Amino acid sequence: MSENNGRLAVRKTYKLFVGGAFPRSESGRSYAVRSAKGVFLANAALASRKDARDAVVAARKAFPGWSGATAYNRGQILYRVAEMLEGRRAQFAAELVDADGVSARKAGELVDAAVDRLVWYAGWSDKIAAVHGSANPVAGPYFNLSTPEPSGVVAVVAPPMGPLLGLVSVIAPVIVSGNTCVVVASERAPLPAITLAEVLATSDLPGGVVNILTGRAAELAPWLAGHMDVNGIDLTGCPEELAVACERDAAENLKRVFRPDPGEDWLATPGTARLRAFLETKTVWHPVGI
Amino acid sequence: MRLEYAPAPESRDVVEIKPSYGLFINGEFVEGGGTPFKTVNPADEQALAEVACADEADVDRAVQAARKAFGVWSALPGAERAKYLFRIARIIQERARELAVLETLDNGKPIRESRDVDLPLVAAHFFYYAGWADKLEYAGFGPAPRPLGVAGQVIPWNFPLLMLAWKIAPALACGNTVVLKPAETTPLTALAFADICVQAGLPAGVVNIVTGAGETGAAVVNHADVNKVAFTGSTEVGRLIARSLAGTGKKLTLELGGKAANIVFEDAPLDQAVEGIVNGIFFNQGHVCCAGSRLLVQESIRDELLDALKRRLGTLRLGDPLDKNTDIGAINSAAQLAKIRELADAGEREGAERWSPACAIPERGYWFPPTVFTGVAQSHRIAREEIFGPVLSVLTFRTPAEAVEKANNTPYGLSAGVWTEKGSRILWLADRLRAGVVWANTFNRFDPASPFGGYKESGYGREGGRHGLEAYLDV
């Protein structure tokens, strides 16, 4: 972004991330993103209802492959995302300084925490079934096994604060278990989300597993909450009134709704609530006999 | 040669039905503010008893009683709560025969089922969760999981006492207190359960039973001092509850409708599959949310399987639910019968072929013969909507992929069945079926240790097993 040595910098165009590609908003709209100090940073795409729907289609398309991948493979890919993020540490730190007005040192710590968060979740991929599944001792000659499975396509309204650490902390628990998602990035600070999309696109993550929209949560979230092919919604980034409206709309097809803890500290170890929010339990019975 | 069975009726004398029942609030039976209603025996349309109707003020009193009791109950050592639940389980076993007869009278289900399925499972459920009450820190939800408070619970009429057990046992084990509303047409075993709570010496207010219809249920789930809502019933009502609870922060679990596929491959053991299909859809007159209401049969064995199935259906006995030889009892209510008729008629109108065995229908009461529709398309209402009656829709498939596609082609996702001798195929299908319970080479099995609940519009949360605790803990 900065212009050094009299050379005019080549700026980046920030677009959406849908189905593994970087399209502009079909609406042709954009909005000016400013730094914490009010300096113009870039024009981000202002996603529309149609973009949200396209993103759901991409997420649905990616679901069979991603949920059918081995847990080991998903863990490997999440770890790869962490590696890619680590490699771009300086770039993300600079974006966080711009976005949040934090010191360079603090920004670096936030990037480190985001990398560590991804590593933490990567390790969960092949532990979830062991911890949340069970072999059930039923009173009869039956094999009976319960295993966790992903709910499907999850809409995630990312927190307005924490444009990188908060974002990673809401995406990772959703996808590590095999869900695919449509994320509405922080409206205030969307640029790190699109840079994260560049990381995701180069981490062997299949296209469509994570789709990122930039724009207004108040405009996009209701469409996602009412969408009949979305199975769950994380309302973390919704202000109170919007969250209630979305929760009401989500009842239409009985979406799994994650209501955030308002005091959530992104730097603390997350616990499993976010992991569990978008898991189903499947129980299989089979008679035992010869 | 066809052997006829002599009547073998279970005696009604083991149960004493009072002319009228009150609400059970704070350990006492009290009058209700609403207009009392009659509960009838669906097998002969005779009124069994008059039951109080709880209005908003009654529900408020029940919630206050539960709130007051919550302090004491949640502070009890888990081992003490466990002992109360063990006591309740034992009393249920002691009174099993009485409760089975009462259930059959009020619900219309065959005594063979209430005696051999419902009651043993009810007692087992209390035993199972009794054992959890002092072991919650080992349940995998952290070192000191806490109860939520007052649970408002609304249950359906298809398994009245069993659904009560599924709701109350885990709630109490975790330290919550409850206000439970049984279904309008089947309140009697819940009121008998209130008496069991008295016999067990359960502290007043820990369990409150409020009878009534939809308005009473709405008052329970919408009460501001209820912390947790658990509902089993139709997807339509589940949606309304989810909407009305938006923004309240109440924890919600829903166990709703289903339209399960029962998939039979050409290598399946045919006789076993036929038994499984019959058990899947005709158990409890098909009043089962997880009923195998869509038979998906591989095209190559369609005719052979249908012939065997029709032969078997010809041997089912429909009639007096109290007769120990009865297979198919009465439809629970006139309203449900009308709904089944409407959907079955729609099946015919939309072009499916209807078949029922020759079957005498009693003159009084609500009855519907076991019915099979063939030539059903996926777009037909009888392939999409939950009928909640003894009506089977038969569709065919050629490849495993097509079976999965058709099985999952529904907004529901409660259960599914697979019949094949090939183990790897079972596991392949089990992975792909979007349903909370998959029965392979069996159907409609239940156990307190086994989690039950749906995907998609069949609801969320699990009942049974370690998983069932999560709904009643602050985790």
Side-chain angles (χ1 to χ4, degrees):
Chain A
M1 179 75 42
S2 54
E3 287 158 30
N4 295 327
N5 307 328
R7 176 181 172 274
L8 193 61
V10 177
R11 289 178 176 175
K12 181 162 86 187
T13 306
Y14 289 86
K15 298 187 282 188
L16 306 176
F17 182 54
V18 176
F22 290 88
R24 290 190 170 83
S25 169
E26 64 79 36
S27 66
R29 302 180 306 175
S30 64
Y31 70 110
V33 178
R34 295 181 187 281
S35 75
K37 294 184 181 123
V39 178
F40 172 79
L41 296 174
N43 289 310
L46 184 59
S48 66
R49 172 179 69 162
K50 177 78 163 59
D51 294 318
R53 288 177 169 174
D54 290 347
V56 172
V57 171
R60 175 60 62 195
K61 198 173 160 203
F63 180 68
W66 183 241
S67 60
T70 63
Y72 179 59
N73 182 235
R74 285 198 300 269
Q76 291 268 297
I77 290 174
L78 254 73
Y79 188 77
R80 179 76 176 156
V81 175
E83 289 178 342
M84 293 293 107
L85 188 56
E86 177 92 30
R88 296 222 208 177
R89 188 178 185 278
Q91 181 188 9
F92 276 100
E95 285 196 5
L96 290 182
V97 169
D98 284 341
D100 283 357
V102 293
S103 67
R105 185 175 156 193
K106 176 71 183 167
E109 285 170 10
L110 289 169
V111 179
D112 294 344
V115 172
D116 292 354
R117 182 65 34 88
L118 282 162
V119 171
W120 191 77
Y121 277 116
W124 263 112
S125 69
D126 48 8
K127 323 293 184 292
I128 298 169
V131 174
H132 293 292
S134 57
N136 308 308
V138 295
Y142 293 94
F143 165 86
N144 185 288
L145 188 75
S146 295
T147 44
E149 287 197 347
S151 297
V153 173
V154 177
V156 178
V157 184
M161 307 308 288
L164 179 66
L165 178 59
L167 180 70
V168 163
S169 300
V170 295
I171 293 176
V174 169
I175 63 170
V176 68
S177 60
N179 294 293
T180 59
C181 65
V182 175
V183 183
V184 180
S186 165
E187 179 177 336
R188 177 191 64 86
L191 305 187
I194 296 305
T195 306
L196 181 72
E198 294 162 12
V199 167
L200 300 175
T202 51
S203 301
D204 300 326
L205 187 75
V209 172
V210 176
N211 304 276
I212 300 180
L213 304 174
T214 54
R216 303 202 170 97
E219 181 185 357
L220 298 169
W223 294 118
L224 293 168
H227 197 298
M228 292 300 278
D229 203 29
V230 172
N231 302 98
I233 186 164
D234 171 359
L235 299 172
T236 301
C238 292
E240 178 62 18
E241 208 173 308
L242 179 61
V244 174
C246 285
E247 196 178 343
R248 209 175 288 133
D249 291 347
E252 190 55 31
N253 67 336
L254 296 158
K255 286 179 186 68
R256 285 72 179 121
V257 177
F258 183 77
R259 308 179 191 92
D261 168 2
E264 192 161 354
D265 172 9
W266 297 119
L267 286 163
T269 303
T272 60
R274 287 182 172 275
L275 263 177
R276 282 184 281 124
F278 302 109
L279 285 180
E280 309 292 322
T281 295
K282 177 182 282 175
T283 300
V284 178
W285 293 67
H286 195 281
V288 175
I290 50 172
Chain B
M1 188 177 67
R2 190 184 163 105
L3 294 172
E4 290 304 324
Y5 285 72
E10 173 66 87
S11 168
R12 286 179 70 140
D13 297 344
V14 294
V15 55
E16 188 191 336
I17 301 178
K18 288 188 250 173
S20 68
Y21 288 87
L23 314 170
F24 184 64
I25 295 176
N26 204 28
E28 289 172 359
F29 286 95
V30 297
E31 306 250 312
T35 311
F37 58 98
K38 288 193 162 53
T39 183
V40 304
N41 178 350
D44 62 12
E45 299 176 53
Q46 299 292 308
L48 292 166
E50 190 172 85
V51 180
C53 174
D55 63 13
E56 251 179 75
D58 298 320
V59 169
D60 185 51
R61 269 190 290 282
V63 173
Q64 283 181 35
R67 172 63 57 198
K68 189 153 167 267
F70 175 66
V72 178
W73 183 249
S74 60
L76 273 185
E80 296 302 299
R81 286 202 307 273
K83 286 192 283 183
Y84 279 112
L85 292 173
F86 281 124
R87 263 194 199 178
I88 289 172
R90 274 288 188 244
I91 298 174
I92 289 167
Q93 288 179 319
E94 287 156 11
R95 295 176 60 175
R97 188 160 168 212
E98 168 203 347
L99 292 166
V101 171
L102 186 59
E103 195 77 303
T104 284
L105 285 171
D106 206 14
N107 169 278
K109 65 173 66 197
I111 186 71
R112 189 167 56 82
E113 290 177 9
S114 49
R115 181 194 63 199
D116 296 348
V117 181
D118 294 55
L119 262 297
L121 282 172
V122 171
H125 219 83
F126 278 98
F127 267 103
Y128 178 81
Y129 279 106
W132 268 122
D134 54 358
K135 301 168 193 70
L136 297 172
E137 63 271 36
Y138 300 104
F141 301 110
R146 298 294 310 153
L148 295 163
V150 175
Q153 309 177 317
V154 177
I155 58 170
W157 47 260
N158 58 341
F159 295 92
L161 195 58
L162 183 57
M163 292 299 102
L164 174 148
W166 282 25
K167 296 281 179 288
I168 292 185
L172 263 48
C174 293
N176 304 276
T177 55
V178 308
V179 175
L180 176 131
K181 190 198 87 72
E184 187 187 5
T185 59
T186 56
L188 295 184
T189 45
L191 294 164
F193 180 80
D195 185 51
I196 289 171
C197 293
V198 174
Q199 288 188 339
L202 193 72
V206 171
V207 168
N208 303 273
I209 310 279
V210 290
T211 44
E215 275 181 34
T216 309
V220 171
V221 304
N222 291 322
H223 194 288
D225 202 30
V226 160
N227 306 98
K228 150 81 200 172
V229 171
F231 172 76
T232 296
S234 72
T235 291
E236 187 191 350
V237 175
R239 241 191 277 283
L240 286 176
I241 293 175
R243 277 188 82 85
S244 66
L245 261 53
T248 63
K250 289 176 191 172
K251 194 162 180 174
L252 174 64
T253 42
L254 298 169
E255 203 270 88
L256 308 174
K259 193 73 195 175
N262 204 356
I263 307 168
V264 183
F265 283 89
E266 60 186 1
D267 69 337
L270 217 59
D271 290 344
Q272 286 176 36
V274 166
E275 288 308 307
I277 294 162
V278 171
N279 180 43
I281 184 63
F282 301 116
F283 172 61
N284 204 35
Q285 296 74 246
H287 300 330
V288 186
C289 44
C290 53
S293 53
R294 286 184 298 151
L295 173 62
L296 295 184
V297 54
Q298 198 154 23
E299 209 171 76
S300 50
I301 55 158
R302 175 191 178 275
D303 293 348
E304 191 187 350
L305 182 77
L306 282 178
D307 287 348
L309 178 64
K310 287 177 178 179
R311 256 198 319 278
R312 177 67 180 89
L313 294 184
T315 67
L316 291 181
R317 288 177 297 274
L318 177 146
D320 181 7
L322 276 178
D323 191 315
K324 292 169 205 161
N325 291 323
T326 292
D327 297 303
I328 311 265
I331 300 302
N332 180 250
S333 66
Q336 185 58 27
L337 181 59
K339 193 188 152 205
I340 297 168
R341 283 183 175 150
E342 193 230 320
L343 275 162
D345 291 347
E348 264 183 295
R349 268 202 313 280
E350 290 186 324
E353 190 184 326
R354 179 177 186 161
W355 180 90
S356 288
C359 168
I361 301 288
E363 274 179 22
R364 295 192 63 98
Y366 316 126
W367 308 93
F368 198 88
T371 300
V372 176
F373 277 99
T374 50
V376 179
Q378 292 189 81
S379 56
H380 288 170
R381 285 183 69 193
I382 53 169
R384 305 208 64 78
E385 297 179 32
E386 184 176 43
I387 300 172
F388 222 64
V391 181
L392 179 68
S393 300
V394 182
L395 298 95
T396 58
F397 69 92
R398 289 182 182 176
T399 64
E402 187 188 351
V404 169
E405 184 72 32
K406 283 184 168 166
N408 288 338
N409 182 12
T410 166
Y412 295 115
L414 191 49
S415 66
V418 182
W419 297 83
T420 171
E421 286 289 69
K422 194 174 178 198
S424 57
R425 183 188 285 149
I426 290 172
L427 297 178
W428 184 88
L429 275 143
D431 266 356
R432 283 159 182 77
L433 292 168
R434 301 290 290 163
V437 183
V438 176
W439 285 295
N441 292 325
T442 184
F443 209 94
N444 270 346
R445 299 288 159 196
F446 307 95
D447 193 280
S450 179
F452 183 91
Y455 283 40
K456 301 195 283 185
E457 293 185 29
S458 289
Y460 34 75
R462 291 294 176 267
E463 296 185 296
R466 184 184 64 77
H467 294 77
L469 296 168
E470 187 173 354
Y472 292 97
L473 292 171
D474 184 18
V475 292

